[in-house]
Amino acid sequence: GFAEVSVNGGRPEDHRVEGIGNGHPALSLLPVRQAIAHAIDRSVIIDRVLYGLGSPALAISPSTNPEWKPEIPEADQYSFDLEKAKTLLDGAGVKDSDGDGIREFEGKNVNLDYYILSDSTTAPGNAEFIRDWLKQIGLGTTLKVVASSKLTEVIGRGEYDLFQWGWTPYVDPDPMLSYF
């Protein structure tokens, strides 16, 4: 199985045009989504939350068969790098202009709604680390703990900024990839 942290990038690049869902407008910017990816240390989560029982994924390849996993050059991987994450946010114009530790976009703090499942044994630990890393790069989070039926509705309506979910995939990834 695997756990994912998903980011709502459903709005088009021009966030002033209505798109799918209502994620935070800053998430419509690719560098903001890239910064979030660089701000998550997958190896720490595996070591500290999963007690070493796992390996970091480089892409969604929900299969136990290694032949289905894409090879991604190291230069194209989202390695843990808080300084790179901060540089990406600065370049996107998402800056902390008032010195409160939280960056702003279009004059408002970037505080992201982060949903986790109430029955997950790993989501609380993951969220603790991820919230801290995001805070270190100047992004706030509001944790929302919900049942899977509620999260399914929230995801379907696109009314989230971040969420964590887990899957147990098939060997052939086609059915699972069709869900995404």
Side-chain angles (χ1 to χ4, degrees):
F2 68 93
E4 63 171 315
V5 174
S6 292
V7 178
N8 186 347
R11 292 176 184 239
E13 285 301 315
D14 180 355
H15 56 274
R16 294 171 229 21
V17 178
E18 286 301 315
I20 299 169
N22 69 346
H24 193 286
L27 296 176
S28 68
L29 304 174
L30 178 59
V32 173
R33 298 190 306 270
Q34 291 171 326
I36 291 170
H38 282 292
I40 298 173
D41 190 338
R42 293 152 187 82
S43 63
V44 166
I45 289 174
I46 290 166
D47 290 344
R48 303 275 305 274
V49 179
L50 300 177
Y51 307 106
L53 301 173
S55 59
L58 300 176
I60 292 181
S61 180
S63 173
T64 56
N65 184 342
E67 291 182 29
W68 289 97
K69 294 180 182 172
E71 290 188 30
I72 300 174
E74 191 171 331
D76 294 333
Q77 296 176 21
Y78 292 105
S79 59
F80 179 64
D81 188 338
L82 293 176
E83 292 308 312
K84 184 171 186 170
K86 291 175 188 177
T87 300
L88 285 163
L89 292 169
D90 288 341
V94 182
K95 299 180 180 184
D96 180 13
S97 60
D98 61 9
D100 69 352
I102 302 296
R103 293 170 182 265
E104 297 90 31
F105 181 71
E106 296 185 338
K108 295 182 182 178
N109 281 354
V110 179
N111 189 59
L112 306 174
D113 289 335
Y114 179 6
Y115 286 86
I116 64 170
L117 293 172
S118 58
D119 62 350
S120 172
T121 58
T122 59
N126 289 346
E128 185 176 337
F129 283 109
I130 291 169
R131 291 177 73 194
D132 182 60
W133 290 319
L134 293 180
K135 185 177 181 181
Q136 289 181 52
I137 65 169
L139 302 179
T141 55
T142 299
L143 192 62
K144 299 188 177 225
V145 182
V146 296
S148 60
S149 59
K150 175 68 174 174
L151 185 53
T152 299
E153 292 174 16
V154 167
I155 294 168
R157 290 189 307 263
E159 296 175 348
Y160 65 92
D161 296 320
L162 306 169
F163 72 82
Q164 179 180 325
W165 197 280
W167 295 89
T168 302
Y170 307 102
V171 174
D172 178 348
D174 285 349
M176 187 65 67
L177 291 172
S178 72
Y179 303 143
F180 293 110

